Amino acid sequence: MTALVIAEHDNQSLKGATLNTVTAAAACGGDVHVLVAGHNAGEVAKAASQIAGVAKVIHADGASLADGLAENLAAQVLGLAGDYSHILFPSTAGGKNVAPRVAAKLDVAQVSDITKVVSADTFERPIYAGNAIATVQSGDAKKVLTVRTTGFDAAPATGGSAAIETKDAVADSGKSAFVGREVSKSDRPELTAAKIIVSGGRALGSSEKFQEVLTPLADKLGAAIGASRAAVDAGYAPNDLQVGQTGKIVAPQLYVALGISGAIQHLAGMKDSKVIVAINKDPEAPIFSVADYGLEADLFVSVAEMLELL
Ligand SMILES: Cc1cc2nc3c(=O)[nH]c(=O)nc-3n(C[C@H](O)[C@H](O)[C@H](O)COP(=O)(O)OP(=O)(O)OC[C@H]3O[C@@H](n4cnc5c(N)ncnc54)[C@H](O)[C@@H]3O)c2cc1C
């Protein structure tokens, strides 16, 4: 029994989600191999070989794999699938784009967003926006899994010394072409990797206030900034900051929710945070039911006070 993890990377560095996925793969019970499919991604393959617990890295390098096009990457994975009992992708936009193609071509049912490996064929996954946990047993010969990274600790990035085997990259499928990419640049930590997140809701009232209140606090705490969907829909914050069921799933050490009511769709994205602090002027706000520390107050006053103390 051997599991194949599809590495998440940008051809230069290995993304943290890969480490959590390796932990999930190890829990399936056999050896863990990692596929690094990219272009000029030698450094990524090297980094993958150093992950503790990885027995082998397969490095496929070529122009067809430069931009993570789902058709080409799925073909690369399918070429290797015969050797593996489990194929695991991080449950990121990239992983979720490729895994269903692999599962469909293998004619197996994908098990999505697993948060626990019970045994080699049985997995837990949240349903109903995280309000219930389903235990799913797969009877398929090969398991194609996407892994909710917040459900698994990151495997140590160093300590391993796996062999790197090179494979030819698949030919370009010709079905899709990479047109362009707009990457938002920020000095802040990335939302899904941040240890501290300061998040703002509808109560902020405008994009100017959102910036004015959250930025200094996030700067002081070295935090990433998040937002509720209401704040995003109202244009106070960009879409990629949204936390929740239809946004990003996060589990930082500290999550500070400012003027966020705590709708189930928001909680679905952050309730696994280690410590939750909520400031809300409504004592009945549902966010207080998950908060470790709740402050019933006007956020504009209390954030200013917090900044003075910090
Ligand atoms: C299919 C679906 C998917 C969704 N996905 C998401 C998702 O991914 N993420 C998400 O966040 N939402 C999501 N939603 C929306 C969700 O249901 C809520 O509408 C949204 O989370 C509310 O955002 P909010 O808490 O900022 O706003 P509100 O619910 O309006 O809450 C604002 C809060 O601010 C408090 N407040 C007001 N003024 C102050 C002040 N001065 N000081 C302190 N507190 C103050 C109020 O008491 C209130 O509790 C989804 C909804 C649907 C139907």
Side-chain angles (χ1 to χ4, degrees), residues 129-147:
N131 285 304
I133 304 294
T135 303
V136 182
Q137 186 172 31
S138 164
D140 287 321
K142 277 186 204 307
K143 322 294 183 218
V144 175
L145 311 167
T146 60
V147 175

Side-chain angles (χ1 to χ4, degrees), residues 85-87 99-114 121 123 125 136-146:
S85 55
H86 297 73
I87 301 173
R101 294 169 197 271
V102 172
K105 288 273 189 187
L106 292 172
D107 196 20
V108 302
Q110 172 181 312
V111 185
S112 303
D113 231 7
I114 64 164
D121 66 356
F123 312 93
R125 60 180 299 265
V136 182
Q137 186 172 31
S138 164
D140 287 321
K142 277 186 204 307
K143 322 294 183 218
V144 175
L145 311 167
T146 60

Side-chain angles (χ1 to χ4, degrees), residues 215-274:
T215 307
L217 186 58
D219 285 347
K220 279 260 160 88
L221 295 173
I225 292 181
S228 72
R229 178 159 158 181
V232 169
D233 286 351
Y236 307 163
N239 189 275
D240 60 337
L241 298 192
Q242 184 179 318
V243 171
Q245 186 186 339
T246 44
K248 290 183 176 151
I249 310 282
V250 299
Q253 297 295 326
L254 173 62
Y255 188 90
V256 183
L258 303 173
I260 292 178
S261 59
I264 52 165
Q265 296 91 352
H266 188 80
L267 301 186
M270 46 62 77
K271 69 177 171 7
D272 291 333
S273 304
K274 304 292 173 286

Side-chain angles (χ1 to χ4, degrees), residues 3-8 16-28 32 86-97 99-100 110-117 123-126 143-155 192 249:
L4 180 67
V5 169
I6 315 307
E8 174 116 346
T18 311
L19 302 176
N20 308 81
T21 310
V22 164
T23 301
C28 294
V32 177
H86 297 73
I87 301 173
L88 297 94
F89 297 79
S91 200
T92 54
K96 288 191 283 191
N97 197 18
Q110 172 181 312
V111 185
S112 303
D113 231 7
I114 64 164
T115 49
K116 187 174 174 188
V117 176
F123 312 93
E124 284 185 2
R125 60 180 299 265
K143 322 294 183 218
V144 175
L145 311 167
T146 60
V147 175
R148 185 176 284 204
T149 53
T150 54
F152 297 88
D153 291 338
T192 51
I249 310 282

